[in-house]
Amino acid sequence: MRSAASVERLSKRYGSVRAVEDVSFTIETGEVFGIVGPNGAGKTTILECIEGLRRPDEGRVRVLGLDPWCERYALRERIGVQLQTAALPERIRVGEAVTLFADLYRRRGDPEAALRRVGLADRRGAAVAHLSGGQRQRLFIALALVHEPEVVFLDELTTGLDPQGRRDAWDLVRDIRERGATVVLTTHFMEEAERLCDRVAIFDLGRVVALDTVGRLIASLGEERRVAFTHIGALDDAAVRALPGVVRVERLGDRVVVSVRGAGTAGRVTTALEETGVAFDDLRVERPTLEDVFLARTGARLPGADAPEA
Ligand SMILES: Nc1ncnc2c1ncn2[C@@H]1O[C@H](COP(=O)(O)OP(=O)(O)OP(=O)(O)O)[C@@H](O)[C@H]1O
Ligand SMILES: [Mg+2]
């Protein structure tokens, strides 16, 4: 099957800032492809190059077989774009906005259905100025979907949404995918990427530092487990660190997270803690998550975390 999009050796600079540097990857048809990375990593920039909104300085991009910059009018009919920052006239009504957008396309789609999909059908008469932040966000998603695009780009889909809104947005992404479209999204929420994405590219400083399925990215951390507990009373960090198999000890207030490696190590560390007489509560053994991969690959640190190991 032909891929939905490909990027080869793409670079983009803003003056002296190298926003994206020699990046290559392929997005398969029908997958949910996630781009994650710290602020300023180049996520929006690369997305805009793929969408045909920015011209790369170097490299080659193809989306649905088209050059997004030179053939952007043809491509616009077939892709849907939700921008990280977008604006509409404040007085335009929700129903008018979605109809206006539908009219821009040859394949007009169904404005009412688009509003229903994002749960805004009962707000169709409301002025954009009167929408909450989350409703506005959902309107922008409706505008990106109204013409039933083959590839949908969502830049920070759920930023600003409440927990229910976030779950609704996740359902929407799954729904888009089930209809056979490809989804490319950026997010700062690792749980979101973990739940939604087939594959994730981790960006840092304009480069791809890891790209794989969520499962394989997590597996790349090896046999690591985290023993997390809240300690009561004194705790000798050095003694914990000295236990066999312990690779890292992190403290967040009373919460201690001991990263261990090796089969059976988590159980042995737990027993050793009990034997040393440390009083603890709410002890859990956790598998690593995408967040751990993110932190390991981008060098970003949680507040209070130990310094990175050499
Ligand atoms: N229009 C612009 N002019 C100049 N510099 C820019 C412009 N847009 C982005 N940059 C710079 O390019 C780099 C990449 O920015 P980009 O917006 O692509 O990052 P991002 O990964 O989307 O970040 P965020 O998570 O904050 O959305 C940053 O250093 C940013 O300051
Ligand atoms: Mg961005």
Side-chain angles (χ1 to χ4, degrees):
M1 200 185 336
R2 193 165 72 176
S3 59
S6 62
V7 174
E8 278 169 42
R9 311 212 61 176
L10 189 148
S11 295
K12 178 73 190 174
R13 284 174 289 275
Y14 302 108
S16 61
V17 176
R18 293 164 178 267
V20 175
E21 187 74 8
D22 197 17
V23 164
S24 304
F25 56 80
T26 301
I27 299 168
E28 301 303 334
T29 302
E31 75 174 337
V32 178
F33 187 89
I35 299 176
V36 303
N39 290 131
K43 304 180 296 294
T44 297
T45 301
I46 192 128
L47 216 52
E48 289 177 347
C49 289
I50 302 171
E51 294 160 349
L53 298 173
R54 272 192 204 283
R55 186 176 201 168
D57 295 328
E58 282 155 50
R60 181 176 184 273
V61 185
R62 286 291 176 276
V63 181
L64 300 170
L66 300 172
D67 180 324
W69 185 256
C70 301
E71 298 171 283
R72 56 189 174 280
Y73 294 106
L75 190 62
R76 206 163 276 177
E77 292 287 326
R78 300 173 62 189
I79 65 172
V81 174
Q82 179 230 350
L83 298 170
Q84 186 178 356
T85 49
L88 280 171
E90 293 284 295
R91 282 161 66 184
I92 194 168
R93 294 180 194 285
V94 168
E96 290 167 352
V98 76
T99 305
L100 180 73
F101 269 67
D103 286 340
L104 295 176
Y105 300 103
R106 280 195 289 271
R107 177 165 54 188
R108 185 170 179 278
D110 182 345
E112 272 301 311
L115 286 183
R116 275 199 304 277
R117 278 176 85 182
V118 301
L120 280 182
D122 59 344
R123 300 290 283 156
R124 73 173 71 73
V128 167
H130 296 159
L131 296 180
S132 73
Q135 290 169 339
R136 219 173 255 244
Q137 180 96 328
R138 282 191 265 155
L139 175 58
F140 284 116
I141 298 171
L143 299 180
L145 296 180
V146 67
H147 56 301
E148 295 282 342
E150 292 160 65
V151 188
V152 181
F153 297 92
L154 305 166
D155 198 357
E156 297 196 25
L157 168 71
T158 61
T159 299
L161 296 186
D162 63 21
Q164 185 57 50
R166 176 163 298 160
R167 280 187 167 66
D168 291 345
W170 293 350
D171 284 343
L172 199 61
V173 169
R174 295 190 185 106
D175 173 62
I176 297 169
R177 182 181 191 269
E178 266 160 35
R179 292 178 187 217
T182 306
V183 180
V184 186
L185 61 85
T186 75
T187 180
H188 283 121
F189 303 105
M190 293 308 115
E191 185 200 355
E192 177 166 297
E194 199 170 325
R195 284 178 185 228
L196 283 183
C197 297
D198 297 300
R199 289 191 307 146
V200 173
I202 303 178
F203 268 67
D204 195 20
L205 303 172
R207 293 176 183 272
V208 177
V209 294
L211 195 174
D212 214 326
T213 62
V214 172
R216 278 200 289 263
L217 285 173
I218 291 173
S220 73
L221 289 181
E223 271 296 292
E224 205 166 298
R225 291 283 181 277
R226 298 185 310 176
V227 181
F229 58 91
T230 304
H231 76 91
I232 301 159
L235 177 74
D236 180 359
D237 278 26
V240 177
R241 210 172 273 121
L243 294 172
V246 170
V247 292
R248 201 163 49 245
V249 180
E250 292 164 47
R251 289 253 213 171
L252 291 163
D254 294 353
R255 197 79 184 147
V256 182
V257 179
V258 183
S259 298
V260 302
R261 204 168 282 159
T265 311
R268 281 197 292 278
V269 166
T270 308
T271 310
L273 283 170
E274 278 164 349
E275 284 168 357
T276 54
V278 177
F280 53 78
D281 196 10
D282 193 20
L283 182 136
R284 298 174 202 197
V285 178
E286 299 163 347
R287 291 172 165 274
T289 63
L290 192 60
E291 183 148 335
D292 297 308
V293 183
F294 179 91
L295 294 174
R297 295 299 176 90
T298 62
R301 313 304 305 167
L302 285 171
D306 276 355
E309 286 165 55

